[in-house]
Amino acid sequence: MPAPSLELDPATLAELGRFGFDPVQLETFAARVMAPVAAGGADPNLVRGAITPLVEGDVRQLPAAGSAEATRLAALGRDAARRGEVGAGVLAGGMATRFGGVVKAIVPAIGPHSFLALKHADVAARAREAGAVIPMLLMTSYATHDRTLAHVAELGLGGPAPVASFPQFVSVRLGPGGGLFRQA
């Protein structure tokens, strides 16, 4: 079986390179996929073992709002925020495909307010309640990074919830035979 092509054009390589693409790592992944398939073995990406639903006790319930335990935990959180031990992580990555190419984080969710603006307002409110600064760290993808940062700048997000961001690393999709997955 000949090795499938992993060649990418220079413009694509340059764009992917902005987001940490590693062509050597891609070749390693492709070889890992191709080796068992070429030998007639099982797909290495298949789940092995049993997949079971959650059972009672796998998820703990939070204490009821207004209870003594909820009040105690909220005080612990505010104290941790004042010590600088709290941050908010927002996963704003993905491929912007489920919303028809629109970045979900910047879509108006309530009136003109985007999902990201609402999340920021929530974190900023918690920071003000605690008398603290709670940083927000946005993880974006190569498909969402530029538009998300433009939205953050447009809204002037900051204050008690300063915003920082980083793009997740990117690779390209491999097909079952280890070559580049391509569609029209």
Side-chain angles (χ1 to χ4, degrees):
M1 169 188 284
S5 172
L6 296 176
E7 288 187 34
L8 296 165
D9 63 89
T12 300
L13 278 172
E15 180 63 14
L16 294 174
R18 289 181 53 212
F19 299 96
F21 175 69
D22 182 348
V24 174
Q25 186 179 53
L26 178 66
E27 290 175 13
T28 302
F29 291 155
R32 197 179 301 154
V33 169
M34 289 181 348
V37 173
D43 183 336
N45 290 311
L46 293 179
V47 174
R48 290 168 181 71
I51 299 174
T52 60
L54 295 174
V55 296
E56 185 70 35
D58 282 348
V59 178
R60 291 177 31 189
Q61 296 295 314
L62 291 174
S67 69
E69 182 62 1
T71 301
R72 183 185 76 79
L73 292 174
L76 287 174
R78 285 189 299 275
D79 290 344
R82 284 185 208 105
R83 291 191 303 272
E85 298 172 354
V86 175
V90 178
L91 305 180
M95 293 297 294
T97 54
R98 282 188 238 158
F99 277 39
V102 178
V103 178
K104 290 183 286 278
I106 67 174
V107 170
I110 298 176
H113 307 291
S114 68
F115 287 110
L116 183 55
L118 293 168
K119 184 62 182 171
H120 183 268
D122 182 46
V123 174
R126 301 296 78 76
R128 283 190 292 278
E129 285 173 5
V133 171
I134 300 177
M136 278 184 65
L137 185 60
L138 302 177
M139 184 192 74
T140 60
S141 73
Y142 87 95
T144 64
H145 186 72
D146 294 338
R147 289 184 281 175
T148 302
L149 293 188
H151 185 65
V152 167
E154 174 186 304
L155 296 177
L157 301 182
V163 177
S165 70
F166 69 95
Q168 64 195 49
F169 289 130
V170 67
S171 192
V172 294
R173 184 181 288 180
L174 296 173
L180 293 178
F181 179 84
R182 296 186 185 267
Q183 284 184 313

